[in-house]
Amino acid sequence: MPRATKKDRVLCIDCDSAVYAVAFSAVKKEHFAFVDGQIIFRHNDKREYNKWFKTLDPTKQETIEYECTEDTFPLSWCLKNVDKWIKDLMTLAGSTRSVVLLTKGGSCFRTYRATLKKYKGNREGTVRPDHYQGIRDHLLAKHKALVYHKWEADDTACMFMETAKTKPDQLAILAAIDKDLEQQSCMHVNPNKKKEGVYYVDEFEGAYSFYKQMLMGDVADNIPGLKGVGAKHKSLAVLDECTTVEELCLHVYNT
């Protein structure tokens, strides 16, 4: 009887979100409330500051002086943290190596296929965090991140995972925060849901995510769904009743 071959356990990581997350986490803000030069409240979350402020009566609010301070950790802090982020994911997945993916930026095939609204048009004018490029350069140099010009990191991730299925000596696991990648049938780990560990998205679950987005659109990328379809629309309830990929397809086609 032939000996079973030990599979190469590889973790495919969409790092686009990580670059932003680590860069933004390096910026530390603190919000202060003063009365007559004395600090009466401070918090690093503006939402918590606003909640506190709303508890005050209008007369008291008029006496408050507000100030926000900002400090940014050095790039070296970001690089250490992004390395740890990748290492922790590899440990969670039990992988022996990683394939790091990044998006080049600029236009891709979605740019000219999005005809109702401009693809990612809602992100125009947004400012990238200070260490954004430094982290990307580090991922390219140290982790040999792969970047392609005609598509985005999540597209590359799906192509990688499909190719991996044809390699009997390889077990690939996909690591991504992006909800779009829940459409890919394969083993997953979600960096934002580490307690879930490694989980499997089967063909039906992947198709369900795909067709649900066809109905609802994708607000994050400025892609509209069908007119009037929201989170509680009846068409989504019908989608929940489907049991096969064919039923999902027919339901969306007839909606």
Side-chain angles (χ1 to χ4, degrees):
M1 183 176 181
R3 182 180 297 178
T5 304
K6 185 176 181 180
K7 290 191 175 184
D8 175 26
R9 199 175 177 98
V10 57
L11 185 65
C12 178
I13 312 174
D14 179 349
C15 275
D16 282 345
S17 299
V19 174
Y20 279 99
V22 173
F24 276 122
S25 69
V27 180
K28 297 299 178 182
K29 292 185 178 181
E30 193 150 23
H31 307 273
F32 296 88
F34 294 87
V35 173
D36 295 330
Q38 298 295 316
I39 298 173
I40 64 168
F41 186 84
R42 64 193 295 177
H43 207 286
N44 59 9
D45 190 332
K46 183 65 184 298
R47 293 168 298 184
E48 293 300 320
Y49 177 93
N50 290 339
K51 275 200 255 181
W52 167 81
F53 186 80
K54 289 177 181 178
T55 65
L56 305 177
D57 63 67
T59 303
K60 183 70 173 177
Q61 289 178 356
E62 291 178 1
T63 68
I64 299 296
E65 296 177 32
Y66 168 76
E67 184 176 322
C68 175
T69 61
E70 183 175 305
D71 187 29
T72 303
F73 291 157
L75 176 60
S76 59
W77 181 91
C78 293
L79 304 188
K80 180 180 179 181
N81 276 274
V82 78
D83 286 345
K84 183 179 184 301
W85 184 82
I86 291 174
K87 183 179 179 181
D88 288 348
L89 280 177
M90 290 182 66
T91 300
L92 178 63
S95 59
T96 52
R97 65 185 179 94
S98 63
V99 174
V100 173
L101 306 176
L102 290 171
T103 296
K104 179 180 180 294
S107 62
C108 69
F109 68 92
R110 293 182 179 86
T111 306
Y112 58 83
R113 289 192 177 180
T115 57
L116 298 179
K117 286 187 176 181
K118 186 175 181 180
Y119 178 58
K120 293 186 177 179
N122 52 341
R123 302 187 194 183
E124 291 179 347
T126 56
V127 179
R128 287 172 174 167
D130 288 346
H131 297 313
Y132 171 84
Q133 191 58 50
I135 298 171
R136 281 179 61 90
D137 292 342
H138 174 74
L139 291 171
L140 290 165
K142 181 175 180 178
H143 296 276
K144 309 302 179 187
L146 302 177
V147 182
Y148 295 95
H149 294 242
K150 295 182 179 180
W151 50 78
E152 299 182 354
D154 52 359
D155 302 307
T156 308
C158 292
M159 287 185 276
F160 180 91
M161 298 306 293
E162 286 300 312
T163 301
K165 292 177 182 179
T166 68
K167 299 178 179 180
D169 61 341
Q170 186 177 92
L171 174 62
I173 302 168
L174 177 56
I177 296 170
D178 191 342
K179 67 182 184 306
D180 294 349
L181 284 169
E182 289 291 331
Q183 299 174 21
Q184 177 61 40
S185 171
C186 63
M187 304 295 291
H188 286 254
V189 290
N190 189 322
N192 284 350
K193 300 176 183 179
K194 291 183 179 179
K195 289 184 178 180
E196 293 185 8
V198 179
Y199 59 95
Y200 183 67
V201 173
D202 63 28
E203 183 184 4
F204 176 80
E205 292 169 326
Y208 175 87
S209 296
F210 171 74
Y211 286 114
K212 183 176 181 180
Q213 258 192 307
M214 286 191 70
L215 291 172
M216 292 186 65
D218 187 350
V219 175
D221 286 340
N222 207 36
I223 302 299
L226 295 184
K227 186 176 181 179
V229 174
K232 296 182 179 180
H233 194 268
K234 62 181 181 180
S235 64
L236 297 181
V238 176
L239 204 65
D240 288 336
E241 297 173 1
C242 297
T243 58
T244 67
V245 174
E246 290 75 14
E247 287 179 1
L248 292 171
C249 180
L250 285 172
H251 170 57
V252 172
Y253 177 79
N254 291 318
T255 299

